[in-house]
């Protein structure tokens, strides 16, 4: 029995033992769940790791970090959105309001860009693979029945597709995308450890 088949069967049994099923809800096909930390990511994939240990299956994590390629957007997003108020001369209030509006617009553009990246990523991997957004600009792909070699092949295939321009509102935006991989159990026995190993691999490739 493959790992993905085992997970599907296990999930079906758990659902059958749960309370009476609720009517199915319509959700966007390319909607991505989001977590805000590696610990949350580890909890999300705990079932898959349990199945790996039980059946001796393979599992890999592909970690992606994306950032707007526009230097001006980066500079705007780097400006502090909040903090201690600074002393200002009279007449500077209007300029500060404009700066806040610019930062707000840049943050909204980044959010829309990351949504577009996530949707494209979801559409480029298998339906059995889990895709999560982690924080604001990171993504994790859980590749079932995949060792490190298969994960590297997926990474090579995704790179050109994800680095192509994205249509956001009326603009075409580009991203700087970096990826790293880790495989169970060499990269770690827990989900958070696997994610951290994949992040370390990304940093090594960046150097």
């Amino acid at each position: 029995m493959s790992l993905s088949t085992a997970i599907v069967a296990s999930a079906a049994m758990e659902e059958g033992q749960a309370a009476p099923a609720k009517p199915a809800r319509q959700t966007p096909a390319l909607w991505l769940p989001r977590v805000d930390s590696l610990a949350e990511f580890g909890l999300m994939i705990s079932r898959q790791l349990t199945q790996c240990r039980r059946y001796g299956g393979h599992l890999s994590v592909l970690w992606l970090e994306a950032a707007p390629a526009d230097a001006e957007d980066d500079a705007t997003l780097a400006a502090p959105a909040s903090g201690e108020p600074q002393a200002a001369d009279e007449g500077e209030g209007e300029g500060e309001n404009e700066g806040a509006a610019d930062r707000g617009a840049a943050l909204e553009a980044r959010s829309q860009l990351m949504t577009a990246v996530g949707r494209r990523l979801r559409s480029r991997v298998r339906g059995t693979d889990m895709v999560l957004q982690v924080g604001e600009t990171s993504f994790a792909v859980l590749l079932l029945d995949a060792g490190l070699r298969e994960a590297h092949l997926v990474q090579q295939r995704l790179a050109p597709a994800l680095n192509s321009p994205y249509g956001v509102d009326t603009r075409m935006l580009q991203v700087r995308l970096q990826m790293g991989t880790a495989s169970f159990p060499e990269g770690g026995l827990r989900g958070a450890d696997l994610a951290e190993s994949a992040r370390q691999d990304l940093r090594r490739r960046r150097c």
Side-chain angles (χ1 to χ4, degrees):
M1 179 184 296
S2 70
L3 175 59
S4 58
T5 302
I7 291 174
V8 171
S10 176
M13 290 178 63
E14 291 180 9
E15 290 175 0
Q17 295 170 357
K22 298 179 181 179
R25 293 184 298 176
Q26 297 297 321
T27 56
L30 299 181
W31 175 83
L32 294 186
R34 173 174 166 173
V35 296
D36 293 319
S37 68
L38 297 187
E40 289 183 57
F41 170 77
L43 291 175
M44 288 287 288
I45 69 169
S46 59
R47 174 188 293 174
Q48 287 83 353
L49 288 172
T50 298
Q51 297 294 338
C52 267
R53 298 186 188 99
R54 181 178 301 170
Y55 296 103
H58 297 286
L59 178 152
S60 292
V61 170
L62 177 62
W63 187 271
L64 303 92
E65 293 183 359
D70 190 324
E72 293 183 1
D73 284 350
D74 287 350
T76 303
L77 292 173
S82 62
E84 293 296 329
Q86 298 179 349
D89 296 332
E90 292 185 4
E92 291 184 357
E94 183 177 348
E96 291 178 355
N97 290 337
E98 291 178 355
D102 289 342
R103 287 193 295 271
L107 288 169
E108 177 62 25
R110 185 183 69 175
S111 176
Q112 293 180 15
L113 177 58
M114 292 304 110
T115 297
V117 172
R119 287 175 176 171
R120 186 178 294 181
L121 174 60
R122 172 68 273 180
S123 70
R124 295 300 196 278
V125 297
R126 301 171 301 179
T128 54
D129 296 326
M130 178 188 293
V131 182
L132 299 170
Q133 182 173 352
V134 186
E136 297 290 341
T137 59
S138 298
F139 300 88
V141 183
L142 187 66
L143 301 168
L144 299 177
D145 292 326
L148 202 56
R149 178 178 177 276
E150 291 82 4
H152 285 157
L153 291 175
V154 173
Q155 179 177 340
Q156 294 171 8
R157 178 172 56 82
L158 287 176
L162 297 179
N163 278 299
S164 300
Y166 294 82
V168 177
D169 287 337
T170 59
R171 295 188 296 170
M172 296 299 293
L173 300 181
Q174 195 81 27
V175 296
R176 292 195 302 268
L177 191 69
Q178 298 173 311
M179 292 184 279
T181 56
S183 185
F184 173 88
E186 297 82 4
L189 299 177
R190 300 184 307 164
D193 296 335
L194 279 172
E196 182 58 33
S197 294
R199 292 176 67 191
Q200 293 294 337
D201 182 58
L202 181 151
R203 295 189 183 102
R204 286 193 294 269
R205 294 170 183 272
R206 180 187 298 168
C207 296

